[in-house]
Amino acid sequence: MVSRRPLTHLSHALEHAEHASEWREVARAFDRATGAAAWQAEDDSPYYDARALRSDILTLRTLRERGEVEALAAALTESLYRHQLELAAPALYQVALVGTKHLVESYLDAAEDTMDWLAHSEQPQVPIAAQLQRFRVAWKVFGRSALLLSGGATLGFHHLGVVKALFEHGLLPDILSGASTGAMIAAGIGARDDAEVSELFANTDQMRLDGLAPVGLRKLRSNGGWLDPARLYAVLQHNIGPRTFAEAHAHSGRTLNISVSATRSRQKPRLLTHLTAPDVLVASAALASSALPGLYPAVELEMRGRDGRTVPYIDGERWTDGSLDGDLPKARMSRLHNVNHFIVSQTNPHVLPFVAHHGRQGLVPIVGGLFSAAARTQGAYAADLLRRATQRSQGPLHLLANQAHTLVSQDYRGNIDIHPRFHWRLYKKVVQNPNRADLACFILEGERSVWPLLSRIHNETRIGRSFQRCIRILEQRTATQPSG
């Protein structure tokens, strides 16, 4: 039996690790001490068919050695769809801190090697353009991953650490979504290319952090909110830049999505992207997505007109905080971008207490899950009663009841959920400008929330990233192919 003392020491070292490499080294020692490393070496599991995995690994290797291209492509396609869901079982990542079953990783190695081989192989009977089309169709069927950044006021600065950890490990999805503070962070990353993102994390002092500025009691009524939107917009323009959604997409190669909520009952919430709103200014969208009623007035979106001047996007239409109606716009992103795998970074103050137990084992997390589920159900029921009771009036109380019901009933979870360690003292900083020391703490805590999930994120996005890499290889081969 493992002594509790070494485990306590290792647990303390894990919680206070300053770098991913340090955390990983301690985590491996922890896995050896708990027997998780031995569990990884055992092939059998109730979550997948070990025999089928071993057979498929052998088949892919054999067909590759024989050079049987058509049979290999067919075998790979069948195998990927057969095992896609079972290899994403969360339980496979709840035993060891680093990695999962070696058999699972061996299978993913074989699948990735096969895809690379097919992308590089000479196939006289199949033109390169046809190979490229095959990969594009297969990728569309397989689906894509996206990173969704929730609202969270000042707590949303944790998202910077999440993005930093994923970016530095080559795991940041090209598709990003943000609402409220998450929109600010997503916009700042989505408008930058990789070199600029690296430079941002190397020098975070370039960011302005003074966006929250009270207007004072005298101007409160005329302003329509407690905080000054002009100050926040100036900060966002500094941190994000002047690009439109179309320009940001062309510059960075990333697909940026920002949620905004409607102020009229008959207007639908919008998901702003380079597809739906190409000429809208990204900073303007981030401002609108952050306009929480009571704190900021509703915002009129701005776009760049054909003559280069800034004009209203939809004249007279105003928008508010994206978290109210679409904190995690999964359905709309699925339709627009073929996303079926969602990595969620969650920092909403009204959500964090109810997700702190997610992904943990033991009696306390189970009890916490039961209480949070009951609280959410009762809250949704109460908000629905109020909404129906005020329906005839269509007044401010009805609007408030609608917003409350939407907030409580939204689905705040993804396939993989990331959230900072919850503590009530965080709430003291919810509506405060962070100082430089606060920002460094938020970023480090965001990174720490990702490190235990790196193996799972790596494996669950591995095939999608392989599709993307192989398509780029085939596009390059097509471009350099002699004409005629």
Side-chain angles (χ1 to χ4, degrees):
M1 183 170 177
V2 179
S3 169
R4 297 289 303 174
R5 197 167 184 180
L7 289 182
T8 301
H9 173 74
L10 290 171
S11 296
H12 183 271
L14 285 171
E15 289 185 8
H16 294 86
E18 297 285 330
H19 304 284
S21 57
E22 177 189 351
W23 184 93
R24 196 174 187 86
E25 181 180 351
V26 177
R28 289 190 183 281
F30 193 93
D31 286 343
R32 290 192 295 270
T34 59
W39 170 86
Q40 290 176 301
E42 299 170 355
D43 282 358
D44 292 338
S45 170
Y47 301 104
Y48 57 78
D49 186 338
R51 191 174 179 181
L53 281 180
R54 286 192 294 265
S55 175
D56 285 1
I57 292 171
L58 179 60
T59 297
L60 295 177
R61 185 182 301 129
T62 301
L63 291 174
R64 200 162 65 239
E65 290 172 353
R66 293 176 180 173
E68 298 183 22
V69 174
E70 293 297 321
L72 180 60
L76 176 64
T77 301
E78 179 184 346
S79 181
L80 285 177
Y81 299 132
R82 177 182 184 181
H83 300 298
Q84 183 177 6
L85 289 179
E86 61 186 19
L87 296 188
L92 291 173
Y93 297 90
Q94 293 175 351
V95 178
L97 293 178
V98 180
T100 184
K101 294 281 191 179
H102 295 330
L103 179 61
V104 170
E105 293 173 343
S106 294
Y107 171 78
L108 293 172
D109 286 341
E112 188 171 7
D113 290 345
T114 299
M115 294 173 71
D116 286 340
W117 187 88
L118 288 170
H120 286 96
S121 66
E122 296 292 338
Q123 304 175 33
Q125 70 277 24
V126 182
I128 296 178
Q131 297 175 43
L132 175 59
Q133 182 61 17
R134 280 186 182 181
F135 266 93
R136 285 174 172 165
V137 170
W139 190 23
K140 186 172 184 178
V141 173
F142 188 84
R144 305 180 70 180
S145 297
L147 174 65
L148 284 66
L149 308 180
S150 76
T154 303
L155 303 188
F157 280 96
H158 283 105
H159 295 319
L160 276 171
V162 170
V163 171
K164 181 173 184 283
L166 294 176
F167 178 76
E168 290 180 346
H169 287 83
L171 298 175
L172 181 65
D174 288 341
I175 302 175
L176 306 173
S177 169
S180 195
T181 309
M184 301 182 197
I185 306 301
I189 301 302
R192 286 173 165 83
D193 61 23
D194 283 355
E196 291 164 340
V197 171
S198 294
E199 202 275 330
L200 173 68
F201 287 124
N203 178 25
T204 56
D205 286 349
Q206 64 186 276
M207 293 176 56
R208 282 186 62 178
L209 304 176
D210 57 334
L212 305 181
V215 295
L217 293 176
R218 291 183 179 180
K219 295 183 179 180
L220 183 60
R221 187 170 182 178
S222 61
N223 183 65
W226 178 44
L227 299 174
D228 182 6
R231 167 70 70 83
L232 180 59
Y233 197 22
V235 170
L236 291 174
Q237 289 172 315
H238 173 87
N239 290 342
I240 296 168
R243 292 190 172 93
T244 65
F245 278 90
E247 291 165 349
H249 177 71
H251 177 73
S252 70
R254 307 185 208 282
T255 299
L256 173 63
N257 302 261
I258 292 180
S259 295
V260 293
S261 299
T263 56
R264 292 190 297 111
S265 59
R266 297 182 184 275
Q267 176 64 281
K268 291 183 178 181
R270 297 284 181 95
L271 186 65
L272 306 173
T273 77
H274 72 285
L275 298 175
T276 63
D279 298 321
V280 169
L281 298 174
V282 173
S284 171
L287 177 67
S289 189
S290 306
L292 181 65
L295 293 183
Y296 289 104
V299 172
E300 191 173 51
L301 288 167
E302 295 180 342
M303 63 175 283
R304 183 169 295 132
R306 293 183 179 180
D307 59 0
R309 292 188 302 171
T310 298
V311 296
Y313 172 52
I314 302 177
D315 199 12
E317 198 72 65
R318 295 184 178 275
W319 308 88
T320 59
D321 195 314
S323 290
L324 297 177
D325 286 310
D327 193 56
L328 308 177
K330 293 184 287 186
R332 283 174 281 170
M333 292 180 68
S334 294
R335 290 193 296 268
L336 284 171
H337 310 302
N338 196 43
V339 176
N340 61 356
H341 183 263
F342 299 93
I343 304 169
V344 171
S345 179
Q346 181 58 253
T347 61
N348 268 307
H350 66 282
V351 178
L352 277 181
F354 302 105
V355 299
H357 58 275
H358 289 167
R360 294 168 54 198
Q361 296 179 322
L363 180 60
V364 173
I366 291 174
V367 173
L370 291 174
F371 273 109
S372 66
R376 179 180 175 184
T377 300
Q378 292 301 316
Y381 179 69
D384 186 52
L385 285 178
L386 181 60
R387 184 177 61 166
R388 285 185 285 171
T390 59
Q391 188 170 6
R392 289 188 178 181
S393 70
Q394 293 293 313
L397 186 58
H398 179 67
L399 178 61
L400 182 63
N402 267 332
Q403 291 176 345
H405 182 267
T406 302
L407 278 175
V408 175
S409 59
Q410 283 187 58
D411 180 8
Y412 290 102
R413 299 191 63 183
N415 298 92
I416 297 177
D417 296 298
I418 305 168
H419 51 81
R421 286 176 290 192
F422 173 74
H423 196 283
W424 289 108
R425 65 174 176 268
L426 288 172
Y427 284 68
K428 294 188 297 183
K429 298 180 181 291
V430 168
V431 192
Q432 291 182 8
N433 287 317
N435 56 37
R436 296 295 168 187
D438 290 333
L439 181 64
C441 288
F442 281 133
I443 291 175
L444 179 57
E445 186 61 28
E447 290 181 271
R448 284 173 172 161
S449 67
V450 174
W451 295 338
L453 295 167
L454 279 174
S455 296
R456 184 179 173 193
I457 294 170
H458 176 268
N459 285 344
E460 290 192 19
T461 62
R462 190 170 177 183
I463 300 302
R465 287 182 286 110
S466 294
F467 270 120
Q468 191 170 17
R469 183 178 63 254
C470 290
I471 286 171
R472 287 172 179 166
I473 291 169
L474 286 166
E475 286 174 342
Q476 292 171 358
R477 290 183 61 193
T478 302
T480 57
Q481 190 178 31
S483 58

